[in-house]
Amino acid sequence: MVGNSFFKGVDEKIGRQKQEQIEEKETLAQERERLSEIIESLVPEVETYKNGLLERGIHAEISTSAR
């Protein structure tokens, strides 16, 4: 029955890899959400700097989109 234990081991490894991929995707989604929150919280401050530059004749644009 060496064959069965071999495939059982392979199936376990595949299962672990799939679970790790799911966890990585969840972590990435959470990190992106947190980053979006941080960016939104910084927009008012960045707008202040932008307006200060415009008062000095320096054109500035801001973007909250991902690059």
Side-chain angles (χ1 to χ4, degrees), residues 12-33:
E12 289 174 357
K13 288 180 181 180
I14 290 172
R16 281 194 301 268
Q17 287 178 341
K18 285 182 179 180
Q19 184 61 36
E20 287 173 6
Q21 288 176 342
I22 290 169
E23 291 171 2
E24 286 175 11
K25 287 181 182 178
E26 290 173 354
T27 299
L28 184 58
Q30 291 171 353
E31 289 172 349
R32 284 184 176 157
E33 179 63 30

Side-chain angles (χ1 to χ4, degrees), residues 5-66:
S5 65
F6 170 77
F7 288 112
K8 183 178 179 182
V10 169
D11 289 342
E12 289 174 357
K13 288 180 181 180
I14 290 172
R16 281 194 301 268
Q17 287 178 341
K18 285 182 179 180
Q19 184 61 36
E20 287 173 6
Q21 288 176 342
I22 290 169
E23 291 171 2
E24 286 175 11
K25 287 181 182 178
E26 290 173 354
T27 299
L28 184 58
Q30 291 171 353
E31 289 172 349
R32 284 184 176 157
E33 179 63 30
R34 180 66 182 134
L35 185 57
S36 292
E37 292 171 2
I38 291 169
I39 289 170
E40 281 187 39
S41 72
L42 292 174
V43 168
E45 179 125 1
V46 173
E47 285 284 347
T48 300
Y49 283 100
K50 176 187 170 189
N51 292 335
L53 291 171
L54 288 174
E55 289 173 1
R56 289 158 179 82
I58 301 171
H59 178 73
E61 292 183 23
I62 61 170
S63 173
T64 58
S65 63

